[in-house]
Amino acid sequence: MRFHRSEAALLLVDLQRGFLHPNGFVAAQGRDVSGCAAAARQCCALARIARDAGMPVIWTRHVLRPDHADGGLLTTELRPRLGQIGALAHGTADVEIPAEAGVEAGDFVLDKPRYSAFFGTALDMLLGARGIRALMVGGVTTSMCVESSVRDAAQRDIRTFVVRDAVADFDAARHAASLSAMAFGFARLIGAGAAAEAIAAGTAEFPAT
């Protein structure tokens, strides 16, 4: 699969305080967020490289109403704990992208009500308006919002490149299974070094594995 920077954007999924910070809602439930924080650092480095090369940078945030009325089954039946603890609620610190991530004025920030970056957002319109037919993807968590977004991208015939050391999960087994599934049918998995080189060079070929 060939990467062309001229038709690509960098999609960074849900690098929010709640998923990354030791005082966020995920860590408060006893989960280790260090892997997600490490992936976020790789994402931020790629964002700087992409901007320098003139490649659009798109950030997503998973955000729900304060009363979670737009959470649907996600907060009522599938993962009711989210509703019980008020997770991902608009206006809370947990939904914010940390200042150190370095979001810049020319970047795009999209809020989404579900796992996929395409569901209930303007992402389709944004990509179409800018002629973007390829996405380089990083973010958290691998098995939920990243994989959901990657699957939706692939089924729109968008060439998708997942940066394996710029994605992370709270569960190693789910992370590995998700990477395997994405590599099998939805995306090319590449390293951060290869991603940076491809962005700088403007084009690269990533064969199937």
Side-chain angles (χ1 to χ4, degrees):
M1 185 182 291
R2 180 154 289 275
F3 169 85
H4 293 288
R5 187 183 64 213
S6 62
E7 63 174 24
L10 178 65
L11 178 65
L12 302 177
V13 178
D14 295 5
L15 298 175
Q16 298 165 255
R17 184 182 179 278
F19 297 115
L20 308 176
H21 197 277
N23 292 327
F25 81 92
V26 172
Q29 297 176 74
R31 295 190 174 100
D32 181 8
V33 298
S34 60
C36 291
R41 289 190 289 272
Q42 292 278 16
C43 289
C44 295
L46 286 173
R48 292 190 292 271
I49 293 167
R51 287 191 206 98
D52 289 345
M55 186 169 131
V57 178
I58 304 168
W59 309 75
T60 70
R61 306 189 313 166
H62 195 163
V63 182
L64 300 171
R65 283 170 42 127
D67 61 2
H68 287 77
D70 55 348
L73 290 179
L74 173 61
T75 54
T76 58
E77 297 183 39
L78 292 172
R79 299 186 65 201
R81 176 71 172 156
L82 292 176
Q84 293 163 7
I85 65 175
L88 303 173
H90 178 79
T92 63
D94 276 348
V95 302
E96 300 302 328
I97 300 171
E100 57 267 29
V103 179
E104 295 194 358
D107 297 348
F108 301 91
V109 180
L110 302 177
D111 288 349
K112 58 188 182 65
R114 296 293 188 275
Y115 298 134
S116 173
F118 290 90
F119 188 91
T121 76
L123 183 55
D124 268 325
M125 183 173 64
L126 171 60
L127 300 184
R130 299 183 67 90
I132 294 168
R133 299 305 308 161
L135 290 172
M136 194 170 280
V137 181
V140 297
T141 59
T142 316
S143 63
M144 302 298 281
C145 294
V146 171
E147 184 176 342
S148 296
S149 301
V150 166
R151 284 174 177 260
D152 279 356
Q155 293 178 96
R156 287 166 167 78
D157 293 323
I158 296 171
R159 292 181 178 86
T160 307
F161 305 87
V162 176
V163 185
R164 66 170 66 87
D165 33 6
V167 297
D169 211 305
F170 314 123
D171 183 282
R174 283 202 302 267
H175 173 75
S178 184
L179 288 178
S180 179
M182 288 189 289
F184 183 76
F186 303 100
R188 293 287 187 266
L189 301 188
I190 62 176
E197 290 173 5
I199 294 171
T203 187
E205 182 72 36
F206 296 105
T209 55

